[in-house]
Amino acid sequence: MIHFEPATRTFNLHTAHSYYALRVDAEGRLVHLGWGLRPADAGPADRADGPFPWPHEVGFSLTVQFRPEEVLTFGDVSTHGVTLKANFPALAQPLAPGEAAHLPIRDLRLRYASHAVVMDAEPGLAPAHGQPVRNETPRETLRVRLVDPVQPLAVTACYRLTPEHDLLERWLELENLGPHPVTFDAVGFASLHLPQGATELTSLTGAWAREYTQERRRLSAGTLVLESRSLQTGHRANPVFLLNAPGQAAEDSGTVYFGALAYSGAWQLAFEQLPTWHLRVHAGYNPFDFQLVLAPGQRHATPALVCGVCGDGWGGASRRLHAFARERVLPAPSARPAYRPVLYNSWEATTFNLSYAGQAALAQKAAAMGVELFCVDDGWFGARRDDHAGLGDWFVRPDAFPDGLEALVAEVHRLGMKFGLWVEPEMINPDSDLYRAHPDWVLHFPGRPRTESRHQLILDFGRPEVVEHIFSVLDALVTRYQIAFYKWDMNRLASEPGSAAGQALWLAHVAGVYGIMDRLRAKHPALDIQSCSGGGGRVDLGILGRVDQVWASDNTDALDRVRIQEGFSLAYPARAMEAWVTHSFNGFTQRAAALRLRFDVAMRGALGIGTALNELDEAELAEYARYIAFYKRLRPIIQDGALYRLQRVEAHGASVIEYVAADGREAVYSIVVHDYRAGAFRPTAPLRGLHSGLVYRVSNRDGVEVQRATGYTLMTLGLPGQHGGPAGWSQTLHIVAEAE
Ligand code: GLA
């Protein structure tokens, strides 16, 4: 609900449990008033109003501008971080006496012009594929139009509410109203003003094969920057944060502020603690090498910062982001039943050694064990015998499939599975026909080196003809081979970012990727897409608007994966997290893992199989089939239920999680012992989200009952017999309420 009080010019934005208040002050500035939880007994008419809660017109020596404006602008602010920095090339009015023409004018002031509450406003780069999301209930957006008193520029600050999940999406719309171009050096989507003391930050950093590493630290005075400086979301950090007062939040309790960016390019989150101990979060495009030029009359809408506050700890923040992604971001499933299919991917089994016979043999084994989607990975195209050649030549590799791909597609369909294909559309090997034909189509600076990474260069998506070419190639493949699933990969960082689009490349690349995906989905509504970037390098709320699932990491070692997946779960939902069972010995970690452990970990997301099935004996294949059947019984709860992280690896050496169906009548309990601590008894983990008065049957994979107990007992004492077990011990249990 959005309310405006004309007498004080105060806006109150209410969600189920939170408020966000802002005000137009006497000078017409849009100033932040407060953000937090609503008192439990508050009614709809209770609103925050009254004087500003802290002084911000400080006039002491060595202080300039502590005023918490909603949109902080360079010029008005010069000693702290800003949301916007603009350069005006010309004077908007004649020079006054005593003025010199120091151009460009790097000074922007924003004053209130008008506001409106509208339904269904969309941030920049919102999906344009036209496919619905699960929850299409219209939402309110507050739009506050601000203008510079002198220069012809309008900035609209937008606030869209998703009340049921206590979420707010913030973005900016810029409009050049004048006759000259305006250049921006920095464009944030929003700056947040957090209460004093919310300085404990939980974030995700990492690297290839070690994505989503959780870090919890106390912010000190100054600015901490998390960012991507590339053309994808990145491995080094993921654009998500949780903030709370140190020591005052835990998994299930405490006030937590949180946010995530809906953008898959060079982003930045800057956490700035002012000398007053106020904390600001500046979120948006990375200002590194950034430039946005608005021509006369041109507009630009930024993507959104999704943010919220909750009172039920880090777990509560995660559950809100999960529900938001499932219901409001991910495309609604086109197929029925509406669950992610069990996938087989042949990458780890065959790498580049592809043939009809080899793939067909794998497909037959996969189908027999219950796989529903068969995806051929890298190596099916061009001269792709290894990673030195072929990227860009998206036609079937004749030495691997001399009779084309049609026979394999037909065989996969005959076996009752859908057919999927790996592509890496943004890339090109210099050893490719496409590069030989268009050496100018890659990012580069004239006369300068073109640094290769994995022997590949990046196509210049600043050129519309390149984007068009890639779309038409992918479009034709879908039609020709009845492709139901693209694994869209992206395997390198940017270098020498010279583009036909100049510095606008950073945005143009992301818009190009999104645009191709949107057009493919619009034209082929049954096509699913997986986002992959050398593992989990392209996961964010922007890409989730146009894909169905993501690859979290190339590291499929089960114990490593427990940590990676736990970090992933801070912000992203299980149904989007593809997780594979692979062979017992993991080459990355030089560790072996029991099949049970591998399944218990991979079943925590959207299950896939990546094992060399031709190396398994009949008994092992039968075991796989039993697990897959079990997973299919559990997946409605795993993929759509609420996630509770009952115990974290850090605290107890074990990861215990629970998924609970929306009606609380069914749940999945999953435990993995990560580190065995001799001499210690791990506490049991009481369950959550059940009904105290109902009796639940707890059963294992084979349907054998291991316990029968009331919801009350399960939510107080937990499950017995869960404290032991060496590292690698694991169990998945199905919990179902008995009929009353
Ligand atoms: C990347 C992906 C892998 C696989 C290879 C193929 O590393 O993350 O899953 O597809 O590329 O080259």
Side-chain angles (χ1 to χ4, degrees):
M1 194 205 63
I2 296 172
H3 179 267
F4 178 63
E5 174 52 53
T8 56
R9 298 206 288 183
T10 300
F11 298 94
N12 266 273
L13 282 46
H14 288 170
T15 67
H17 304 98
S18 74
Y19 82 95
Y20 189 101
L22 59 159
R23 169 177 297 159
V24 181
D25 75 4
E27 280 73 40
R29 303 180 185 107
L30 187 64
V31 186
H32 184 75
L33 201 54
W35 182 29
L37 295 173
R38 303 192 80 210
D41 66 345
D46 289 317
R47 292 185 269 270
D49 213 328
F52 283 107
W54 65 78
H56 51 256
E57 301 298 343
V58 192
F60 308 133
S61 163
L62 299 178
T63 64
V64 184
Q65 234 281 28
F66 289 121
R67 190 187 313 114
E69 285 193 43
E70 286 286 299
V71 186
L72 296 154
T73 53
F74 186 87
D76 208 354
V77 182
S78 49
T79 46
H80 311 304
V82 294
T83 330
L84 288 176
K85 182 178 180 197
N87 298 295
F88 299 98
L91 296 169
Q93 56 197 22
L95 281 179
E99 285 190 321
H102 299 304
L103 295 174
I105 293 176
R106 307 187 314 282
D107 187 338
L108 174 63
R109 317 259 158 170
L110 294 176
R111 298 293 178 266
Y112 173 83
S114 62
H115 76 270
V117 176
V118 302
M119 304 305 282
D120 292 325
E122 291 283 0
L125 295 180
H129 48 63
Q131 287 180 359
V133 292
R134 280 187 170 179
N135 185 348
E136 295 267 321
T137 315
R139 286 171 288 181
E140 284 182 309
T141 303
L142 170 65
R143 298 170 55 85
V144 186
R145 185 176 163 89
L146 308 164
V147 292
D148 187 282
V150 179
Q151 297 288 357
L153 182 80
V155 175
T156 304
C158 302
Y159 306 77
R160 180 165 71 176
L161 303 184
T162 304
E164 67 272 25
H165 303 314
D166 292 311
L167 286 171
L168 192 61
E169 282 164 277
R170 293 194 51 191
W171 71 93
L172 295 179
E173 295 175 13
L174 316 174
E175 186 179 359
N176 181 356
L177 306 168
H180 305 288
V182 179
T183 302
F184 291 86
D185 298 331
V187 176
F189 309 164
S191 293
L192 299 174
H193 302 277
L194 272 75
Q196 276 178 322
T199 55
E200 187 173 81
L201 170 70
T202 305
S203 60
L204 298 173
T205 54
W208 175 78
R210 188 177 61 75
E211 293 89 339
Y212 311 107
T213 302
Q214 297 176 64
E215 289 196 334
R216 184 159 300 129
R217 67 185 119 191
R218 181 141 184 197
L219 295 169
S220 55
T223 302
L224 172 82
V225 171
L226 298 175
E227 63 181 356
S228 157
R229 292 189 174 199
S230 195
L231 297 167
Q232 80 275 50
T233 327
H235 294 73
R236 297 174 188 179
N238 189 270
V240 56
F241 65 87
L242 286 76
L243 283 161
N244 53 268
Q248 296 194 23
E251 185 60 24
D252 292 315
S253 62
T255 301
V256 175
Y257 291 83
F258 55 96
L261 294 178
Y263 185 60
S264 315
W267 56 268
Q268 187 181 82
L269 288 172
F271 303 88
E272 181 183 30
Q273 192 173 160
L274 303 186
T276 53
W277 294 341
H278 285 94
L279 185 70
R280 293 177 177 175
V281 182
H282 308 284
Y285 299 128
N286 196 327
F288 171 78
D289 199 39
F290 179 86
Q291 194 181 65
L292 174 71
V293 181
L294 283 191
Q298 202 179 347
R299 296 163 184 244
H300 178 86
T302 74
L305 165 68
V306 180
C307 55
V309 55
C310 65
D312 48 355
W314 302 312
S318 297
R319 281 186 291 281
R320 283 169 176 79
L321 287 168
H322 296 170
F324 178 74
R326 281 195 308 263
E327 295 166 20
R328 298 287 195 169
V329 179
L330 285 163
S334 55
R336 292 283 174 271
Y339 305 115
R340 297 305 309 143
V342 177
L343 165 149
Y344 181 79
N345 179 298
S346 58
W347 172 245
E348 291 201 25
T350 52
T351 62
F352 297 99
N353 304 316
L354 301 185
S355 67
Y356 169 79
Q359 295 296 304
L362 289 170
Q364 285 148 16
K365 297 201 162 167
M369 61 175 56
V371 166
E372 298 155 313
L373 166 64
F374 184 85
C375 181
V376 176
D377 209 277
D378 198 351
W380 60 268
F381 53 90
R384 189 76 167 168
R385 286 174 198 85
D386 53 35
D387 62 9
H388 284 73
L391 286 174
D393 297 340
W394 301 110
F395 50 84
V396 174
R397 189 177 135 200
D399 62 321
F401 299 98
D403 303 320
L405 213 51
E406 284 84 351
L408 179 61
V409 175
E411 178 63 358
V412 167
H413 287 167
R414 186 189 70 78
L415 293 164
M417 297 184 292
K418 292 182 171 176
F419 183 74
L421 213 50
W422 179 96
V423 286
E424 195 178 358
E426 298 144 81
M427 297 293 157
I428 185 166
N429 286 119
D431 185 358
S432 67
D433 291 346
L434 186 67
Y435 189 77
R436 283 182 279 274
H438 299 285
D440 52 333
W441 274 17
V442 299
L443 297 182
H444 71 285
F445 291 111
R448 313 296 296 172
R450 303 177 179 199
T451 304
E452 293 176 23
S453 175
R454 209 192 187 204
H455 319 291
Q456 61 199 56
L457 299 169
I458 304 178
L459 285 169
D460 181 5
F461 274 25
R463 286 174 175 264
E465 70 273 27
V466 173
V467 175
E468 201 52 43
H469 170 78
I470 294 299
F471 168 74
S472 55
V473 168
L474 296 179
D475 175 36
L477 285 172
V478 175
T479 307
R480 176 155 183 191
Y481 300 113
Q482 300 162 62
I483 291 165
F485 178 86
Y486 268 137
K487 173 176 173 181
W488 181 306
D489 208 340
M490 198 290 195
N491 277 316
R492 64 159 290 179
L493 298 172
S495 65
E496 298 100 19
S499 161
Q503 282 170 266
L505 167 75
W506 300 104
L507 274 60
H509 190 93
V510 180
V513 170
Y514 286 177
I516 296 171
M517 289 183 174
D518 286 351
R519 287 170 71 191
L520 287 171
R521 294 196 77 107
K523 194 163 170 194
H524 309 282
L527 174 73
D528 285 359
I529 304 177
Q530 175 202 345
S531 170
C532 171
S533 176
R538 191 180 264 160
V539 178
D540 58 79
L541 291 175
I543 203 74
L544 287 186
R546 50 269 293 176
V547 302
D548 302 273
Q549 62 192 52
V550 296
W551 186 221
S553 181
D554 281 348
N555 184 346
T556 56
D557 175 277
L559 287 180
D560 275 14
R561 199 68 187 217
V562 167
R563 283 182 190 277
I564 292 168
Q565 294 182 179
E566 186 180 291
F568 182 98
S569 80
L570 273 197
Y572 306 112
R575 80 171 285 126
M577 184 182 72
E578 186 177 329
W580 297 355
V581 168
T582 55
H583 28 268
S584 87
F585 183 76
N586 189 284
F588 287 10
T589 58
Q590 302 287 304
R591 244 187 333 220
L595 187 63
R596 169 160 137 171
L597 172 64
R598 285 176 274 145
F599 264 101
D600 285 338
V601 173
M603 290 194 300
R604 291 175 163 203
L607 178 66
I609 310 291
T611 317
L613 300 180
N614 41 358
E615 291 169 11
L616 302 184
D617 61 28
E618 288 304 320
E620 288 169 310
L621 291 170
E623 275 293 282
Y624 273 65
R626 272 196 284 278
Y627 275 113
I628 290 172
F630 184 40
Y631 177 74
K632 286 180 179 171
R633 296 204 301 277
L634 304 181
R635 76 176 154 184
I637 315 159
I638 292 168
Q639 295 188 8
D640 281 339
L643 169 72
Y644 292 90
R645 293 177 293 247
L646 303 179
Q647 277 180 12
R648 291 199 178 201
V649 175
E650 278 68 18
H652 300 291
S655 161
V656 186
I657 61 175
E658 181 195 5
Y659 300 91
V660 186
D663 64 3
R665 300 183 67 92
E666 223 178 332
V668 173
Y669 173 93
S670 168
I671 176 168
V672 177
V673 177
H674 198 277
D675 310 302
Y676 173 59
R677 295 174 186 180
F681 285 97
R682 215 178 21 261
T684 57
L687 275 67
R688 302 280 311 273
L690 306 178
H691 297 285
S692 292
L694 293 182
V695 174
Y696 291 84
R697 181 174 184 271
V698 182
S699 57
N700 67 14
R701 183 194 70 170
D702 301 316
V704 175
E705 181 176 306
V706 297
Q707 205 193 347
R708 185 181 295 253
T710 61
Y712 186 85
T713 295
L714 293 171
M715 290 193 291
T716 50
L717 304 181
L719 285 162
Q722 299 289 312
H723 50 273
W729 183 82
S730 65
Q731 194 167 31
T732 302
L733 297 170
H734 190 189
I735 300 172
V736 184
E738 299 198 327
E740 287 154 87

